Amino acid sequence: GSDVQTSVAGASYEALAIDGSAQGSASGALVDCGTAEGVCAASQSVCLIERGVISFADKVLNCQAGGGVAAIIYNNEAGALSGTLGGVATTIPSVGVTDTDGAAMLSALGAASSVVVQTGNYSIYDGTSMATPHVSAVAALVWSHHENCDNQAIRNALIATAEDLGDAGRDTSYGYGLVQASDALNYLSTNGCDGGGGGGGGGGGPQQCELLPKGASCTSDADCCSNSCKGKRDAKTCK
């Protein structure tokens, strides 16, 4: 992760290090580089750049080529900006800020500015790429306690017990909300795999199955679980 500090005209702003940014600190007058589609005349200055048109890496390189000592890229839509250089090497620290902070900085062109990007313990990112590993891990944890349930039952339990965030119900920013591992476990224990109240993750029925030892064959015509040998994570047999 990175520890980021950004200031313009004495005011501090929250910022995220552009993934792959060079480490270091730099200061200078703030210069407006627009979308930085060409080399920006920014000798010994901090480049203020709008998101859009070209890649973040090209923007930082065009600031760097013009003598810029740091790059601040502001969003062209609501919210924080979290970007990546995509493995392109640069030599100046680069950060992303919100659209509103970018607008505030535009009113302070020429002011003394500074950018610091240094190693930290944590980094902040958002989006599907960050949510997926967390939700997948919780799904795996819940499933390990309710192995008789199928993937749809686990999904339904996570949805039913998620802590709603943002607009009421499912929304484009937060999905169904914040996943709750313990609540999902309890939900399946109480309601069963089908949500019908069977309890114990058994789908509401009296049949119970257990995993076969590794390498053992499955008896597909067992009295119960007769169809559980196909399409499941592990072969199962009657208990």
Side-chain angles (χ1 to χ4, degrees), residues 3 15 32 37 47 64 72 81-82 105 123 142 160 182 218 222 226:
D3 180 23
D32 182 12
E37 294 171 58
C47 301
Q64 183 178 301
I72 301 173
L81 187 148
S82 176
M105 293 178 184
S123 187
V142 173
S182 180
C218 177
S226 60

Side-chain angles (χ1 to χ4, degrees), residues 135 138-139 142 153-162 176 178-181 184:
V135 176
V138 172
V142 173
I154 302 301
R155 174 185 171 87
N156 291 340
L158 296 184
I159 292 173
T161 57
Y176 289 100
L178 182 63
V179 68
Q180 302 291 309

Side-chain angles (χ1 to χ4, degrees), residues 46-97:
V46 174
C47 301
L48 181 61
I49 305 170
E50 182 181 4
R51 175 187 181 185
V53 186
I54 62 175
S55 70
F56 296 124
D58 287 338
K59 292 176 184 291
V60 175
L61 288 173
N62 284 337
C63 169
Q64 183 178 301
V69 294
I72 301 173
I73 304 175
Y74 62 93
N75 215 340
N76 57 5
E77 58 184 33
L81 187 148
S82 176
T84 177
L85 297 179
V88 176
T90 60
T91 60
I92 61 175
S94 53
V95 300
V97 298

